Amino acid sequence: MAPPSNFPPLHVIQPTQDHHCTIIALHGRGSNGPEFAEELFEDKSSSDLTLSEHFPHCKWIFPSSQERHSTVFEEEMDEWFDIYSLTDPSTQEELQVEGLRDSIKHILDIIDKEVEFVLAGNIVLLGISQGCATAIHALLAGQHRLGGLVGIAGWIPFRKQIVDVAGCRDDGASLSKFYADILGLTGARQSNACQSNAQQNNVIPALLSHCADDDVVDVELGHQLRNALMSPGLDINVTYKEFVSAGHWIPSPDGFDSIVEFLRCRAFVR
């Protein structure tokens, strides 16, 4: 599977049994696909199994971001997009546009190729930190209605704008118009409130988790993400899990148990 231009090769872990579903997992800033895969599959659930062992029918795709110039760190680093502040992500939001646009297109290209093998509803996006932020926008900007989202220690860029357009309250604006105007992306699905009854489909399930002691992405940003995705019109059914400690990661085994439970509730995951 060849990646779009200027992105590193995809790190793919093939299913050990018949291919029924695909999970596209996005790393955080300063990491890459192979490194995230190694870290994600190191920890185990309370059943003493890794995520890949729990779901042998799943293909795991770990994309890597481009190397970009970080305004804050004043150096090149692996990141999906540039950002000025994680204390207030809305500060100098214009810095996020170019990388976010390119990265969303990359993820949507991967999804377009993957639907040749499985149904779009059998594809789940998973992301941690900046990878979670990117995955959320790929979910909202894409034309395919995916099977779900797992967001870990995440936040959402352009939160206020997304909340405003979610219910078409901004002079009839839609998600499609937002992504076209701000990020130069076309073809985004409209928010549920903008669609006729005949166009509305089932909601997309999302599992969000965050640790109270996260010193990289403050848990309050996780609360803001949760509330944003619960906005009327986004048609996302959010399950939120907050853990006491594990920092900027997934607590083991409890956090992994919650991911396993969430994925098992999806009918396509065996």
Side-chain angles (χ1 to χ4, degrees), residues 204-229:
I204 297 174
L207 171 65
L208 304 177
S209 66
H210 218 115
C211 289
D213 67 344
D214 191 331
D215 60 356
V216 177
V217 177
D218 192 272
V219 70
E220 177 56 31
L221 293 179
H223 297 163
Q224 293 176 10
L225 167 59
R226 174 198 61 198
N227 295 340
L229 292 190

PDB file of all heavy atoms in Angstrom, residues 204-229:
ATOM      1  N   ILE A 204     -22.217   7.581  15.018  1.00  0.00           N
ATOM      2  CA  ILE A 204     -20.898   6.949  15.045  1.00  0.00           C
ATOM      3  C   ILE A 204     -20.444   6.848  16.504  1.00  0.00           C
ATOM      4  O   ILE A 204     -20.421   7.849  17.216  1.00  0.00           O
ATOM      5  CB  ILE A 204     -19.886   7.760  14.226  1.00  0.00           C
ATOM      6  CG1 ILE A 204     -20.298   7.795  12.754  1.00  0.00           C
ATOM      7  CG2 ILE A 204     -18.476   7.178  14.376  1.00  0.00           C
ATOM      8  CD1 ILE A 204     -19.438   8.690  11.900  1.00  0.00           C
ATOM      9  N   PRO A 205     -20.084   5.661  16.978  1.00  0.00           N
ATOM     10  CA  PRO A 205     -19.636   5.524  18.369  1.00  0.00           C
ATOM     11  C   PRO A 205     -18.206   6.024  18.541  1.00  0.00           C
ATOM     12  O   PRO A 205     -17.358   5.844  17.657  1.00  0.00           O
ATOM     13  CB  PRO A 205     -19.728   4.023  18.616  1.00  0.00           C
ATOM     14  CG  PRO A 205     -19.548   3.407  17.266  1.00  0.00           C
ATOM     15  CD  PRO A 205     -20.159   4.363  16.278  1.00  0.00           C
ATOM     16  N   ALA A 206     -17.948   6.659  19.661  1.00  0.00           N
ATOM     17  CA  ALA A 206     -16.606   7.150  19.964  1.00  0.00           C
ATOM     18  C   ALA A 206     -16.273   6.866  21.419  1.00  0.00           C
ATOM     19  O   ALA A 206     -17.096   7.089  22.314  1.00  0.00           O
ATOM     20  CB  ALA A 206     -16.500   8.649  19.685  1.00  0.00           C
ATOM     21  N   LEU A 207     -15.079   6.361  21.650  1.00  0.00           N
ATOM     22  CA  LEU A 207     -14.551   6.178  23.003  1.00  0.00           C
ATOM     23  C   LEU A 207     -13.429   7.183  23.209  1.00  0.00           C
ATOM     24  O   LEU A 207     -12.437   7.179  22.479  1.00  0.00           O
ATOM     25  CB  LEU A 207     -14.019   4.755  23.187  1.00  0.00           C
ATOM     26  CG  LEU A 207     -13.240   4.495  24.485  1.00  0.00           C
ATOM     27  CD1 LEU A 207     -14.149   4.631  25.708  1.00  0.00           C
ATOM     28  CD2 LEU A 207     -12.561   3.124  24.456  1.00  0.00           C
ATOM     29  N   LEU A 208     -13.584   8.035  24.203  1.00  0.00           N
ATOM     30  CA  LEU A 208     -12.552   8.994  24.572  1.00  0.00           C
ATOM     31  C   LEU A 208     -12.047   8.654  25.965  1.00  0.00           C
ATOM     32  O   LEU A 208     -12.844   8.371  26.865  1.00  0.00           O
ATOM     33  CB  LEU A 208     -13.099  10.424  24.566  1.00  0.00           C
ATOM     34  CG  LEU A 208     -13.746  10.922  23.261  1.00  0.00           C
ATOM     35  CD1 LEU A 208     -14.283  12.336  23.476  1.00  0.00           C
ATOM     36  CD2 LEU A 208     -12.746  10.890  22.117  1.00  0.00           C
ATOM     37  N   SER A 209     -10.735   8.691  26.142  1.00  0.00           N
ATOM     38  CA  SER A 209     -10.175   8.440  27.473  1.00  0.00           C
ATOM     39  C   SER A 209      -9.074   9.449  27.765  1.00  0.00           C
ATOM     40  O   SER A 209      -8.380   9.918  26.856  1.00  0.00           O
ATOM     41  CB  SER A 209      -9.641   7.008  27.583  1.00  0.00           C
ATOM     42  OG  SER A 209      -8.545   6.805  26.730  1.00  0.00           O
ATOM     43  N   HIS A 210      -8.923   9.762  29.048  1.00  0.00           N
ATOM     44  CA  HIS A 210      -7.928  10.745  29.461  1.00  0.00           C
ATOM     45  C   HIS A 210      -7.556  10.447  30.904  1.00  0.00           C
ATOM     46  O   HIS A 210      -8.370   9.941  31.677  1.00  0.00           O
ATOM     47  CB  HIS A 210      -8.511  12.161  29.363  1.00  0.00           C
ATOM     48  CG  HIS A 210      -7.533  13.185  28.888  1.00  0.00           C
ATOM     49  ND1 HIS A 210      -7.656  13.870  27.695  1.00  0.00           N
ATOM     50  CD2 HIS A 210      -6.392  13.650  29.450  1.00  0.00           C
ATOM     51  CE1 HIS A 210      -6.654  14.707  27.549  1.00  0.00           C
ATOM     52  NE2 HIS A 210      -5.868  14.598  28.607  1.00  0.00           N
ATOM     53  N   CYS A 211      -6.321  10.759  31.266  1.00  0.00           N
ATOM     54  CA  CYS A 211      -5.857  10.601  32.637  1.00  0.00           C
ATOM     55  C   CYS A 211      -5.823  11.953  33.339  1.00  0.00           C
ATOM     56  O   CYS A 211      -5.388  12.953  32.754  1.00  0.00           O
ATOM     57  CB  CYS A 211      -4.481   9.957  32.686  1.00  0.00           C
ATOM     58  SG  CYS A 211      -4.499   8.207  32.228  1.00  0.00           S
ATOM     59  N   ALA A 212      -6.276  11.964  34.582  1.00  0.00           N
ATOM     60  CA  ALA A 212      -6.331  13.217  35.332  1.00  0.00           C
ATOM     61  C   ALA A 212      -4.953  13.816  35.557  1.00  0.00           C
ATOM     62  O   ALA A 212      -4.819  15.033  35.725  1.00  0.00           O
ATOM     63  CB  ALA A 212      -7.036  12.987  36.675  1.00  0.00           C
ATOM     64  N   ASP A 213      -3.914  12.971  35.546  1.00  0.00           N
ATOM     65  CA  ASP A 213      -2.563  13.468  35.805  1.00  0.00           C
ATOM     66  C   ASP A 213      -1.760  13.711  34.522  1.00  0.00           C
ATOM     67  O   ASP A 213      -0.533  13.818  34.574  1.00  0.00           O
ATOM     68  CB  ASP A 213      -1.799  12.517  36.724  1.00  0.00           C
ATOM     69  CG  ASP A 213      -1.506  11.164  36.079  1.00  0.00           C
ATOM     70  OD1 ASP A 213      -2.144  10.846  35.049  1.00  0.00           O
ATOM     71  OD2 ASP A 213      -0.635  10.431  36.589  1.00  0.00           O
ATOM     72  N   ASP A 214      -2.448  13.792  33.388  1.00  0.00           N
ATOM     73  CA  ASP A 214      -1.763  14.041  32.112  1.00  0.00           C
ATOM     74  C   ASP A 214      -1.104  15.418  32.158  1.00  0.00           C
ATOM     75  O   ASP A 214      -1.781  16.439  32.305  1.00  0.00           O
ATOM     76  CB  ASP A 214      -2.793  13.980  30.964  1.00  0.00           C
ATOM     77  CG  ASP A 214      -2.147  13.968  29.584  1.00  0.00           C
ATOM     78  OD1 ASP A 214      -1.043  14.543  29.433  1.00  0.00           O
ATOM     79  OD2 ASP A 214      -2.750  13.408  28.652  1.00  0.00           O
ATOM     80  N   ASP A 215       0.223  15.447  32.040  1.00  0.00           N
ATOM     81  CA  ASP A 215       0.951  16.717  32.103  1.00  0.00           C
ATOM     82  C   ASP A 215       1.354  17.230  30.723  1.00  0.00           C
ATOM     83  O   ASP A 215       2.102  18.214  30.621  1.00  0.00           O
ATOM     84  CB  ASP A 215       2.182  16.594  32.998  1.00  0.00           C
ATOM     85  CG  ASP A 215       3.169  15.540  32.513  1.00  0.00           C
ATOM     86  OD1 ASP A 215       2.863  14.848  31.519  1.00  0.00           O
ATOM     87  OD2 ASP A 215       4.255  15.408  33.122  1.00  0.00           O
ATOM     88  N   VAL A 216       0.859  16.576  29.662  1.00  0.00           N
ATOM     89  CA  VAL A 216       1.127  17.038  28.299  1.00  0.00           C
ATOM     90  C   VAL A 216      -0.118  17.697  27.718  1.00  0.00           C
ATOM     91  O   VAL A 216      -0.078  18.836  27.241  1.00  0.00           O
ATOM     92  CB  VAL A 216       1.585  15.874  27.403  1.00  0.00           C
ATOM     93  CG1 VAL A 216       1.792  16.360  25.966  1.00  0.00           C
ATOM     94  CG2 VAL A 216       2.862  15.254  27.949  1.00  0.00           C
ATOM     95  N   VAL A 217      -1.223  16.974  27.735  1.00  0.00           N
ATOM     96  CA  VAL A 217      -2.518  17.512  27.318  1.00  0.00           C
ATOM     97  C   VAL A 217      -3.409  17.513  28.557  1.00  0.00           C
ATOM     98  O   VAL A 217      -3.830  16.455  29.026  1.00  0.00           O
ATOM     99  CB  VAL A 217      -3.154  16.667  26.198  1.00  0.00           C
ATOM    100  CG1 VAL A 217      -4.539  17.201  25.843  1.00  0.00           C
ATOM    101  CG2 VAL A 217      -2.264  16.659  24.964  1.00  0.00           C
ATOM    102  N   ASP A 218      -3.671  18.692  29.093  1.00  0.00           N
ATOM    103  CA  ASP A 218      -4.435  18.791  30.329  1.00  0.00           C
ATOM    104  C   ASP A 218      -5.799  18.127  30.187  1.00  0.00           C
ATOM    105  O   ASP A 218      -6.432  18.207  29.129  1.00  0.00           O
ATOM    106  CB  ASP A 218      -4.613  20.259  30.716  1.00  0.00           C
ATOM    107  CG  ASP A 218      -5.140  20.410  32.128  1.00  0.00           C
ATOM    108  OD1 ASP A 218      -6.378  20.405  32.310  1.00  0.00           O
ATOM    109  OD2 ASP A 218      -4.323  20.520  33.066  1.00  0.00           O
ATOM    110  N   VAL A 219      -6.253  17.493  31.245  1.00  0.00           N
ATOM    111  CA  VAL A 219      -7.514  16.770  31.197  1.00  0.00           C
ATOM    112  C   VAL A 219      -8.682  17.692  30.861  1.00  0.00           C
ATOM    113  O   VAL A 219      -9.699  17.248  30.308  1.00  0.00           O
ATOM    114  CB  VAL A 219      -7.753  16.024  32.531  1.00  0.00           C
ATOM    115  CG1 VAL A 219      -8.048  17.006  33.665  1.00  0.00           C
ATOM    116  CG2 VAL A 219      -8.881  15.015  32.389  1.00  0.00           C
ATOM    117  N   GLU A 220      -8.562  18.978  31.157  1.00  0.00           N
ATOM    118  CA  GLU A 220      -9.631  19.915  30.808  1.00  0.00           C
ATOM    119  C   GLU A 220      -9.835  19.996  29.302  1.00  0.00           C
ATOM    120  O   GLU A 220     -10.957  20.165  28.819  1.00  0.00           O
ATOM    121  CB  GLU A 220      -9.318  21.308  31.371  1.00  0.00           C
ATOM    122  CG  GLU A 220     -10.348  22.378  30.998  1.00  0.00           C
ATOM    123  CD  GLU A 220     -11.773  22.021  31.414  1.00  0.00           C
ATOM    124  OE1 GLU A 220     -11.953  21.317  32.434  1.00  0.00           O
ATOM    125  OE2 GLU A 220     -12.712  22.454  30.714  1.00  0.00           O
ATOM    126  N   LEU A 221      -8.730  19.844  28.526  1.00  0.00           N
ATOM    127  CA  LEU A 221      -8.876  19.803  27.070  1.00  0.00           C
ATOM    128  C   LEU A 221      -9.630  18.546  26.645  1.00  0.00           C
ATOM    129  O   LEU A 221     -10.358  18.546  25.653  1.00  0.00           O
ATOM    130  CB  LEU A 221      -7.501  19.859  26.401  1.00  0.00           C
ATOM    131  CG  LEU A 221      -6.722  21.168  26.560  1.00  0.00           C
ATOM    132  CD1 LEU A 221      -5.367  21.072  25.860  1.00  0.00           C
ATOM    133  CD2 LEU A 221      -7.524  22.340  26.000  1.00  0.00           C
ATOM    134  N   GLY A 222      -9.449  17.463  27.406  1.00  0.00           N
ATOM    135  CA  GLY A 222     -10.229  16.255  27.145  1.00  0.00           C
ATOM    136  C   GLY A 222     -11.705  16.473  27.408  1.00  0.00           C
ATOM    137  O   GLY A 222     -12.565  15.965  26.676  1.00  0.00           O
ATOM    138  N   HIS A 223     -12.028  17.238  28.467  1.00  0.00           N
ATOM    139  CA  HIS A 223     -13.417  17.569  28.748  1.00  0.00           C
ATOM    140  C   HIS A 223     -14.015  18.413  27.619  1.00  0.00           C
ATOM    141  O   HIS A 223     -15.164  18.198  27.203  1.00  0.00           O
ATOM    142  CB  HIS A 223     -13.515  18.346  30.062  1.00  0.00           C
ATOM    143  CG  HIS A 223     -13.068  17.567  31.256  1.00  0.00           C
ATOM    144  ND1 HIS A 223     -12.754  18.165  32.469  1.00  0.00           N
ATOM    145  CD2 HIS A 223     -12.880  16.230  31.447  1.00  0.00           C
ATOM    146  CE1 HIS A 223     -12.400  17.240  33.339  1.00  0.00           C
ATOM    147  NE2 HIS A 223     -12.454  16.056  32.739  1.00  0.00           N
ATOM    148  N   GLN A 224     -13.227  19.369  27.135  1.00  0.00           N
ATOM    149  CA  GLN A 224     -13.706  20.203  26.036  1.00  0.00           C
ATOM    150  C   GLN A 224     -13.949  19.378  24.777  1.00  0.00           C
ATOM    151  O   GLN A 224     -14.931  19.600  24.052  1.00  0.00           O
ATOM    152  CB  GLN A 224     -12.699  21.319  25.759  1.00  0.00           C
ATOM    153  CG  GLN A 224     -12.567  22.340  26.864  1.00  0.00           C
ATOM    154  CD  GLN A 224     -11.500  23.375  26.586  1.00  0.00           C
ATOM    155  OE1 GLN A 224     -10.959  23.456  25.467  1.00  0.00           O
ATOM    156  NE2 GLN A 224     -11.168  24.183  27.593  1.00  0.00           N
ATOM    157  N   LEU A 225     -13.064  18.420  24.506  1.00  0.00           N
ATOM    158  CA  LEU A 225     -13.248  17.529  23.358  1.00  0.00           C
ATOM    159  C   LEU A 225     -14.527  16.724  23.516  1.00  0.00           C
ATOM    160  O   LEU A 225     -15.331  16.617  22.585  1.00  0.00           O
ATOM    161  CB  LEU A 225     -12.041  16.592  23.241  1.00  0.00           C
ATOM    162  CG  LEU A 225     -12.183  15.391  22.307  1.00  0.00           C
ATOM    163  CD1 LEU A 225     -12.483  15.832  20.877  1.00  0.00           C
ATOM    164  CD2 LEU A 225     -10.936  14.524  22.362  1.00  0.00           C
ATOM    165  N   ARG A 226     -14.704  16.130  24.680  1.00  0.00           N
ATOM    166  CA  ARG A 226     -15.920  15.346  24.942  1.00  0.00           C
ATOM    167  C   ARG A 226     -17.167  16.178  24.689  1.00  0.00           C
ATOM    168  O   ARG A 226     -18.086  15.733  23.981  1.00  0.00           O
ATOM    169  CB  ARG A 226     -15.901  14.855  26.391  1.00  0.00           C
ATOM    170  CG  ARG A 226     -17.179  14.151  26.846  1.00  0.00           C
ATOM    171  CD  ARG A 226     -17.241  14.116  28.362  1.00  0.00           C
ATOM    172  NE  ARG A 226     -17.263  15.467  28.929  1.00  0.00           N
ATOM    173  CZ  ARG A 226     -16.973  15.743  30.204  1.00  0.00           C
ATOM    174  NH1 ARG A 226     -16.632  14.774  31.034  1.00  0.00           N
ATOM    175  NH2 ARG A 226     -17.020  16.988  30.631  1.00  0.00           N
ATOM    176  N   ASN A 227     -17.196  17.385  25.246  1.00  0.00           N
ATOM    177  CA  ASN A 227     -18.383  18.223  25.106  1.00  0.00           C
ATOM    178  C   ASN A 227     -18.614  18.645  23.662  1.00  0.00           C
ATOM    179  O   ASN A 227     -19.754  18.724  23.200  1.00  0.00           O
ATOM    180  CB  ASN A 227     -18.257  19.456  26.005  1.00  0.00           C
ATOM    181  CG  ASN A 227     -18.230  19.092  27.483  1.00  0.00           C
ATOM    182  OD1 ASN A 227     -18.665  18.008  27.868  1.00  0.00           O
ATOM    183  ND2 ASN A 227     -17.699  19.987  28.304  1.00  0.00           N
ATOM    184  N   ALA A 228     -17.515  18.898  22.941  1.00  0.00           N
ATOM    185  CA  ALA A 228     -17.647  19.303  21.538  1.00  0.00           C
ATOM    186  C   ALA A 228     -18.246  18.193  20.689  1.00  0.00           C
ATOM    187  O   ALA A 228     -19.141  18.415  19.872  1.00  0.00           O
ATOM    188  CB  ALA A 228     -16.288  19.724  20.976  1.00  0.00           C
ATOM    189  N   LEU A 229     -17.752  16.964  20.883  1.00  0.00           N
ATOM    190  CA  LEU A 229     -18.246  15.844  20.080  1.00  0.00           C
ATOM    191  C   LEU A 229     -19.670  15.457  20.450  1.00  0.00           C
ATOM    192  O   LEU A 229     -20.355  14.777  19.669  1.00  0.00           O
ATOM    193  CB  LEU A 229     -17.324  14.640  20.217  1.00  0.00           C
ATOM    194  CG  LEU A 229     -15.927  14.774  19.614  1.00  0.00           C
ATOM    195  CD1 LEU A 229     -15.205  13.432  19.603  1.00  0.00           C
ATOM    196  CD2 LEU A 229     -15.977  15.351  18.198  1.00  0.00           C
TER     197      LEU A 229
END
